[in-house]
Amino acid sequence: MTIKTKGLLVWLFFWYCFSAPYSGYAEAVPQKMYQISETELTQLELNLATLKNHNKTYNEELKKQQTKLNLLHKELETWQAKSKTTELLLKNANASFELYAKEEKNKIEKAKRQRNLYIFLSACLAYSLVKQLN
């Protein structure tokens, strides 16, 4: 190290040491003193005990409510799964009914065509018989 670098380091060290506040120079701020009577102290202790009991009761109630909420969430998930299953079953049933309706419509149209064909053939046969008789 050069002399300049050493001098700079010494200067930075002193600057750091003197820039930091010294705790011995800090003024001590006196704490304020309060006085309470024994009855007030007793009342404060009673209030604290009451608050602790209320807090304990509310925490227990909160735990019960959280347990119920968790059960309701699980039940809701179960019902949602059942609802999805029912929805899928209904979609399948609807598709089956539509297919059945289409098949029945085709059967009816086929029967109509056959009936019309039989009527036409019967009319032709009757016409030919009448023609032969004349």
Side-chain angles (χ1 to χ4, degrees):
M1 272 193 192
T2 66
I3 296 176
K4 272 186 165 181
T5 311
K6 285 182 184 178
L8 182 63
L9 287 176
V10 169
W11 186 81
L12 285 174
F13 175 75
F14 282 118
W15 177 79
Y16 176 75
C17 288
F18 289 116
S19 66
Y22 183 64
S23 62
Y25 292 120
E27 292 184 30
V29 178
Q31 295 288 328
K32 291 184 179 180
M33 298 294 288
Y34 295 99
Q35 290 182 357
I36 59 171
S37 66
E38 187 176 339
T39 55
E40 291 173 331
L41 180 62
T42 306
Q43 185 63 40
L44 285 173
E45 289 173 346
L46 235 155
N47 289 347
L48 180 63
T50 304
L51 287 173
K52 283 182 181 179
N53 284 337
H54 286 311
N55 192 22
K56 182 180 177 183
T57 305
Y58 292 143
N59 282 337
E60 289 172 359
E61 186 64 28
L62 178 63
K63 286 179 184 178
K64 288 179 187 177
Q65 294 299 327
Q66 285 176 335
T67 304
K68 286 180 184 179
L69 182 63
N70 288 339
L71 289 173
L72 288 174
H73 276 300
K74 288 178 184 176
E75 192 173 328
L76 177 63
E77 289 172 358
T78 303
W79 282 107
Q80 285 176 338
K82 286 181 181 180
S83 174
K84 285 181 181 178
T85 303
T86 305
E87 186 177 342
L88 287 174
L89 290 172
L90 286 173
K91 283 182 180 179
N92 288 339
N94 191 27
S96 296
F97 281 132
E98 287 177 1
L99 182 64
Y100 176 74
K102 193 182 239 184
E103 288 173 358
E104 287 301 311
K105 185 178 178 183
N106 287 340
K107 283 182 186 178
I108 291 171
E109 287 178 5
K110 183 178 178 182
K112 216 187 251 187
R113 284 193 304 268
Q114 285 178 345
R115 183 192 69 205
N116 290 341
L117 179 64
Y118 292 148
I119 291 172
F120 177 73
L121 290 177
S122 298
C124 287
L125 184 62
Y127 177 74
S128 66
L129 283 177
V130 167
K131 197 135 189 171
Q132 283 180 356
L133 291 176
N134 280 344

